[in-house]
Amino acid sequence: GGADPSLAAMAVGGTGARLRPSIYVYELPAKFNTWLAETRVTPEDCVYRRYVLDNLTKWENYAFGLELALHESLLSSPHRTLNPHDADFFFVPVQGGCFISRFTRPTPRHNLYVTKAPVGAPI
């Protein structure tokens, strides 16, 4: 089983020849990354850039933006392989900085579980 390595290389790199080092990027379940983006408290949370009016890029000062930028860069890299058997390196796109910053803010109102609680509910 598994993907044909030549097809995987052509799909990502376009040449059919594998570049070294080759990197396999894992796809994690949505609850690990997509959920963080979907439930962010403000538009600036957990992003290093946003697209605003007229499709202009607005750069953010998000402290953990590198983990997002690296993931995005690897997804479009000619070194990416779709076949894990061909990979020299593996990247697991866990957005740990986003998760940590989300749940360790200085006040309880920043915690998503608290903001989703009904008014008057015990904290």
Side-chain angles (χ1 to χ4, degrees), residues 74-97:
L74 289 175
L75 288 175
S76 62
S77 171
H79 289 269
R80 180 182 177 203
T81 179
L82 300 178
N83 186 343
H85 300 290
D86 292 337
D88 299 309
F89 297 98
F90 297 86
F91 181 76
V92 181
V94 175
Q95 296 173 8

PDB file of all heavy atoms in Angstrom, residues 74-97:
ATOM      1  N   LEU A  74       6.460  24.606   5.209  1.00  0.00           N
ATOM      2  CA  LEU A  74       6.720  23.198   4.883  1.00  0.00           C
ATOM      3  C   LEU A  74       5.635  22.601   3.992  1.00  0.00           C
ATOM      4  O   LEU A  74       5.922  21.733   3.166  1.00  0.00           O
ATOM      5  CB  LEU A  74       6.862  22.377   6.169  1.00  0.00           C
ATOM      6  CG  LEU A  74       8.127  22.634   6.968  1.00  0.00           C
ATOM      7  CD1 LEU A  74       8.093  21.853   8.277  1.00  0.00           C
ATOM      8  CD2 LEU A  74       9.371  22.279   6.165  1.00  0.00           C
ATOM      9  N   LEU A  75       4.405  23.060   4.147  1.00  0.00           N
ATOM     10  CA  LEU A  75       3.323  22.538   3.301  1.00  0.00           C
ATOM     11  C   LEU A  75       3.552  22.839   1.826  1.00  0.00           C
ATOM     12  O   LEU A  75       3.140  22.068   0.963  1.00  0.00           O
ATOM     13  CB  LEU A  75       1.975  23.110   3.750  1.00  0.00           C
ATOM     14  CG  LEU A  75       1.433  22.577   5.062  1.00  0.00           C
ATOM     15  CD1 LEU A  75       0.146  23.325   5.437  1.00  0.00           C
ATOM     16  CD2 LEU A  75       1.175  21.077   4.989  1.00  0.00           C
ATOM     17  N   SER A  76       4.218  23.935   1.538  1.00  0.00           N
ATOM     18  CA  SER A  76       4.452  24.300   0.138  1.00  0.00           C
ATOM     19  C   SER A  76       5.902  24.085  -0.302  1.00  0.00           C
ATOM     20  O   SER A  76       6.278  24.466  -1.403  1.00  0.00           O
ATOM     21  CB  SER A  76       4.051  25.756  -0.098  1.00  0.00           C
ATOM     22  OG  SER A  76       4.841  26.612   0.693  1.00  0.00           O
ATOM     23  N   SER A  77       6.700  23.452   0.530  1.00  0.00           N
ATOM     24  CA  SER A  77       8.114  23.260   0.231  1.00  0.00           C
ATOM     25  C   SER A  77       8.336  22.180  -0.831  1.00  0.00           C
ATOM     26  O   SER A  77       7.670  21.143  -0.824  1.00  0.00           O
ATOM     27  CB  SER A  77       8.855  22.840   1.505  1.00  0.00           C
ATOM     28  OG  SER A  77      10.181  22.450   1.189  1.00  0.00           O
ATOM     29  N   PRO A  78       9.289  22.377  -1.741  1.00  0.00           N
ATOM     30  CA  PRO A  78       9.631  21.327  -2.697  1.00  0.00           C
ATOM     31  C   PRO A  78      10.298  20.131  -2.014  1.00  0.00           C
ATOM     32  O   PRO A  78      10.430  19.073  -2.611  1.00  0.00           O
ATOM     33  CB  PRO A  78      10.573  22.012  -3.683  1.00  0.00           C
ATOM     34  CG  PRO A  78      11.099  23.200  -2.965  1.00  0.00           C
ATOM     35  CD  PRO A  78      10.050  23.616  -1.979  1.00  0.00           C
ATOM     36  N   HIS A  79      10.681  20.282  -0.759  1.00  0.00           N
ATOM     37  CA  HIS A  79      11.283  19.180  -0.008  1.00  0.00           C
ATOM     38  C   HIS A  79      10.228  18.308   0.665  1.00  0.00           C
ATOM     39  O   HIS A  79      10.554  17.258   1.204  1.00  0.00           O
ATOM     40  CB  HIS A  79      12.250  19.715   1.061  1.00  0.00           C
ATOM     41  CG  HIS A  79      13.485  20.282   0.477  1.00  0.00           C
ATOM     42  ND1 HIS A  79      14.619  19.536   0.261  1.00  0.00           N
ATOM     43  CD2 HIS A  79      13.770  21.533   0.033  1.00  0.00           C
ATOM     44  CE1 HIS A  79      15.552  20.292  -0.283  1.00  0.00           C
ATOM     45  NE2 HIS A  79      15.061  21.508  -0.427  1.00  0.00           N
ATOM     46  N   ARG A  80       8.985  18.730   0.605  1.00  0.00           N
ATOM     47  CA  ARG A  80       7.913  17.959   1.237  1.00  0.00           C
ATOM     48  C   ARG A  80       7.645  16.697   0.424  1.00  0.00           C
ATOM     49  O   ARG A  80       7.600  16.718  -0.796  1.00  0.00           O
ATOM     50  CB  ARG A  80       6.644  18.791   1.319  1.00  0.00           C
ATOM     51  CG  ARG A  80       5.502  18.039   1.970  1.00  0.00           C
ATOM     52  CD  ARG A  80       4.243  18.867   2.000  1.00  0.00           C
ATOM     53  NE  ARG A  80       3.152  18.089   2.562  1.00  0.00           N
ATOM     54  CZ  ARG A  80       1.885  18.335   2.338  1.00  0.00           C
ATOM     55  NH1 ARG A  80       1.532  19.357   1.569  1.00  0.00           N
ATOM     56  NH2 ARG A  80       0.956  17.572   2.864  1.00  0.00           N
ATOM     57  N   THR A  81       7.468  15.602   1.141  1.00  0.00           N
ATOM     58  CA  THR A  81       7.063  14.363   0.507  1.00  0.00           C
ATOM     59  C   THR A  81       5.720  13.948   1.069  1.00  0.00           C
ATOM     60  O   THR A  81       5.425  14.201   2.240  1.00  0.00           O
ATOM     61  CB  THR A  81       8.099  13.231   0.704  1.00  0.00           C
ATOM     62  OG1 THR A  81       7.619  12.055   0.067  1.00  0.00           O
ATOM     63  CG2 THR A  81       8.340  12.926   2.173  1.00  0.00           C
ATOM     64  N   LEU A  82       4.901  13.343   0.242  1.00  0.00           N
ATOM     65  CA  LEU A  82       3.607  12.841   0.693  1.00  0.00           C
ATOM     66  C   LEU A  82       3.697  11.381   1.121  1.00  0.00           C
ATOM     67  O   LEU A  82       2.718  10.806   1.568  1.00  0.00           O
ATOM     68  CB  LEU A  82       2.562  13.006  -0.414  1.00  0.00           C
ATOM     69  CG  LEU A  82       2.326  14.447  -0.873  1.00  0.00           C
ATOM     70  CD1 LEU A  82       1.308  14.482  -1.995  1.00  0.00           C
ATOM     71  CD2 LEU A  82       1.906  15.326   0.280  1.00  0.00           C
ATOM     72  N   ASN A  83       4.870  10.810   0.971  1.00  0.00           N
ATOM     73  CA  ASN A  83       5.092   9.410   1.333  1.00  0.00           C
ATOM     74  C   ASN A  83       6.024   9.359   2.547  1.00  0.00           C
ATOM     75  O   ASN A  83       7.201   9.671   2.432  1.00  0.00           O
ATOM     76  CB  ASN A  83       5.706   8.654   0.152  1.00  0.00           C
ATOM     77  CG  ASN A  83       5.826   7.173   0.421  1.00  0.00           C
ATOM     78  OD1 ASN A  83       5.765   6.720   1.559  1.00  0.00           O
ATOM     79  ND2 ASN A  83       6.011   6.418  -0.640  1.00  0.00           N
ATOM     80  N   PRO A  84       5.520   8.939   3.700  1.00  0.00           N
ATOM     81  CA  PRO A  84       6.371   8.925   4.897  1.00  0.00           C
ATOM     82  C   PRO A  84       7.578   7.998   4.775  1.00  0.00           C
ATOM     83  O   PRO A  84       8.592   8.207   5.428  1.00  0.00           O
ATOM     84  CB  PRO A  84       5.425   8.473   6.008  1.00  0.00           C
ATOM     85  CG  PRO A  84       4.269   7.855   5.335  1.00  0.00           C
ATOM     86  CD  PRO A  84       4.168   8.468   3.979  1.00  0.00           C
ATOM     87  N   HIS A  85       7.503   6.989   3.910  1.00  0.00           N
ATOM     88  CA  HIS A  85       8.621   6.066   3.742  1.00  0.00           C
ATOM     89  C   HIS A  85       9.815   6.722   3.046  1.00  0.00           C
ATOM     90  O   HIS A  85      10.941   6.239   3.151  1.00  0.00           O
ATOM     91  CB  HIS A  85       8.180   4.816   2.974  1.00  0.00           C
ATOM     92  CG  HIS A  85       7.098   4.063   3.675  1.00  0.00           C
ATOM     93  ND1 HIS A  85       7.308   3.369   4.848  1.00  0.00           N
ATOM     94  CD2 HIS A  85       5.792   3.913   3.379  1.00  0.00           C
ATOM     95  CE1 HIS A  85       6.177   2.820   5.247  1.00  0.00           C
ATOM     96  NE2 HIS A  85       5.234   3.139   4.379  1.00  0.00           N
ATOM     97  N   ASP A  86       9.568   7.824   2.346  1.00  0.00           N
ATOM     98  CA  ASP A  86      10.642   8.541   1.658  1.00  0.00           C
ATOM     99  C   ASP A  86      11.237   9.670   2.499  1.00  0.00           C
ATOM    100  O   ASP A  86      12.203  10.300   2.088  1.00  0.00           O
ATOM    101  CB  ASP A  86      10.110   9.163   0.357  1.00  0.00           C
ATOM    102  CG  ASP A  86       9.747   8.119  -0.667  1.00  0.00           C
ATOM    103  OD1 ASP A  86      10.281   6.999  -0.592  1.00  0.00           O
ATOM    104  OD2 ASP A  86       8.910   8.422  -1.542  1.00  0.00           O
ATOM    105  N   ALA A  87      10.670   9.924   3.651  1.00  0.00           N
ATOM    106  CA  ALA A  87      11.054  11.102   4.428  1.00  0.00           C
ATOM    107  C   ALA A  87      12.362  10.910   5.183  1.00  0.00           C
ATOM    108  O   ALA A  87      12.652   9.846   5.712  1.00  0.00           O
ATOM    109  CB  ALA A  87       9.944  11.447   5.411  1.00  0.00           C
ATOM    110  N   ASP A  88      13.132  11.984   5.207  1.00  0.00           N
ATOM    111  CA  ASP A  88      14.328  12.052   6.051  1.00  0.00           C
ATOM    112  C   ASP A  88      13.977  12.650   7.410  1.00  0.00           C
ATOM    113  O   ASP A  88      14.606  12.342   8.411  1.00  0.00           O
ATOM    114  CB  ASP A  88      15.400  12.915   5.377  1.00  0.00           C
ATOM    115  CG  ASP A  88      15.841  12.339   4.046  1.00  0.00           C
ATOM    116  OD1 ASP A  88      16.180  11.144   4.004  1.00  0.00           O
ATOM    117  OD2 ASP A  88      15.832  13.081   3.049  1.00  0.00           O
ATOM    118  N   PHE A  89      12.981  13.541   7.407  1.00  0.00           N
ATOM    119  CA  PHE A  89      12.533  14.204   8.626  1.00  0.00           C
ATOM    120  C   PHE A  89      11.015  14.211   8.662  1.00  0.00           C
ATOM    121  O   PHE A  89      10.351  14.134   7.637  1.00  0.00           O
ATOM    122  CB  PHE A  89      13.044  15.656   8.688  1.00  0.00           C
ATOM    123  CG  PHE A  89      14.531  15.752   8.752  1.00  0.00           C
ATOM    124  CD1 PHE A  89      15.272  15.992   7.612  1.00  0.00           C
ATOM    125  CD2 PHE A  89      15.193  15.593   9.962  1.00  0.00           C
ATOM    126  CE1 PHE A  89      16.643  16.078   7.663  1.00  0.00           C
ATOM    127  CE2 PHE A  89      16.577  15.682  10.026  1.00  0.00           C
ATOM    128  CZ  PHE A  89      17.302  15.918   8.873  1.00  0.00           C
ATOM    129  N   PHE A  90      10.481  14.365   9.870  1.00  0.00           N
ATOM    130  CA  PHE A  90       9.034  14.409  10.067  1.00  0.00           C
ATOM    131  C   PHE A  90       8.696  15.667  10.850  1.00  0.00           C
ATOM    132  O   PHE A  90       9.413  16.042  11.777  1.00  0.00           O
ATOM    133  CB  PHE A  90       8.559  13.169  10.839  1.00  0.00           C
ATOM    134  CG  PHE A  90       8.813  11.903  10.092  1.00  0.00           C
ATOM    135  CD1 PHE A  90      10.035  11.262  10.195  1.00  0.00           C
ATOM    136  CD2 PHE A  90       7.848  11.366   9.268  1.00  0.00           C
ATOM    137  CE1 PHE A  90      10.287  10.099   9.490  1.00  0.00           C
ATOM    138  CE2 PHE A  90       8.082  10.208   8.569  1.00  0.00           C
ATOM    139  CZ  PHE A  90       9.306   9.576   8.676  1.00  0.00           C
ATOM    140  N   PHE A  91       7.603  16.305  10.464  1.00  0.00           N
ATOM    141  CA  PHE A  91       7.147  17.496  11.169  1.00  0.00           C
ATOM    142  C   PHE A  91       5.739  17.245  11.679  1.00  0.00           C
ATOM    143  O   PHE A  91       4.840  16.910  10.913  1.00  0.00           O
ATOM    144  CB  PHE A  91       7.159  18.714  10.237  1.00  0.00           C
ATOM    145  CG  PHE A  91       6.714  19.980  10.911  1.00  0.00           C
ATOM    146  CD1 PHE A  91       7.563  20.660  11.773  1.00  0.00           C
ATOM    147  CD2 PHE A  91       5.443  20.481  10.692  1.00  0.00           C
ATOM    148  CE1 PHE A  91       7.150  21.827  12.397  1.00  0.00           C
ATOM    149  CE2 PHE A  91       5.027  21.650  11.308  1.00  0.00           C
ATOM    150  CZ  PHE A  91       5.881  22.320  12.165  1.00  0.00           C
ATOM    151  N   VAL A  92       5.564  17.415  12.987  1.00  0.00           N
ATOM    152  CA  VAL A  92       4.254  17.275  13.618  1.00  0.00           C
ATOM    153  C   VAL A  92       3.791  18.686  13.984  1.00  0.00           C
ATOM    154  O   VAL A  92       4.362  19.314  14.874  1.00  0.00           O
ATOM    155  CB  VAL A  92       4.324  16.384  14.872  1.00  0.00           C
ATOM    156  CG1 VAL A  92       2.946  16.229  15.500  1.00  0.00           C
ATOM    157  CG2 VAL A  92       4.916  15.022  14.519  1.00  0.00           C
ATOM    158  N   PRO A  93       2.779  19.205  13.289  1.00  0.00           N
ATOM    159  CA  PRO A  93       2.395  20.611  13.456  1.00  0.00           C
ATOM    160  C   PRO A  93       1.536  20.884  14.688  1.00  0.00           C
ATOM    161  O   PRO A  93       0.387  21.284  14.598  1.00  0.00           O
ATOM    162  CB  PRO A  93       1.616  20.898  12.170  1.00  0.00           C
ATOM    163  CG  PRO A  93       1.016  19.581  11.822  1.00  0.00           C
ATOM    164  CD  PRO A  93       2.023  18.544  12.230  1.00  0.00           C
ATOM    165  N   VAL A  94       2.110  20.690  15.838  1.00  0.00           N
ATOM    166  CA  VAL A  94       1.403  20.987  17.077  1.00  0.00           C
ATOM    167  C   VAL A  94       1.641  22.455  17.419  1.00  0.00           C
ATOM    168  O   VAL A  94       2.784  22.899  17.461  1.00  0.00           O
ATOM    169  CB  VAL A  94       1.914  20.088  18.223  1.00  0.00           C
ATOM    170  CG1 VAL A  94       1.273  20.475  19.540  1.00  0.00           C
ATOM    171  CG2 VAL A  94       1.649  18.632  17.894  1.00  0.00           C
ATOM    172  N   GLN A  95       0.588  23.176  17.628  1.00  0.00           N
ATOM    173  CA  GLN A  95       0.702  24.595  17.942  1.00  0.00           C
ATOM    174  C   GLN A  95       0.709  24.779  19.460  1.00  0.00           C
ATOM    175  O   GLN A  95      -0.200  25.350  20.051  1.00  0.00           O
ATOM    176  CB  GLN A  95      -0.434  25.364  17.284  1.00  0.00           C
ATOM    177  CG  GLN A  95      -0.354  25.293  15.775  1.00  0.00           C
ATOM    178  CD  GLN A  95      -1.549  25.901  15.108  1.00  0.00           C
ATOM    179  OE1 GLN A  95      -2.392  26.521  15.743  1.00  0.00           O
ATOM    180  NE2 GLN A  95      -1.640  25.729  13.805  1.00  0.00           N
ATOM    181  N   GLY A  96       1.768  24.286  20.068  1.00  0.00           N
ATOM    182  CA  GLY A  96       1.886  24.322  21.522  1.00  0.00           C
ATOM    183  C   GLY A  96       1.902  25.724  22.090  1.00  0.00           C
ATOM    184  O   GLY A  96       1.315  25.991  23.134  1.00  0.00           O
ATOM    185  N   GLY A  97       2.585  26.642  21.409  1.00  0.00           N
ATOM    186  CA  GLY A  97       2.630  28.018  21.888  1.00  0.00           C
ATOM    187  C   GLY A  97       1.256  28.647  21.912  1.00  0.00           C
ATOM    188  O   GLY A  97       0.905  29.367  22.848  1.00  0.00           O
TER     189      GLY A  97
END
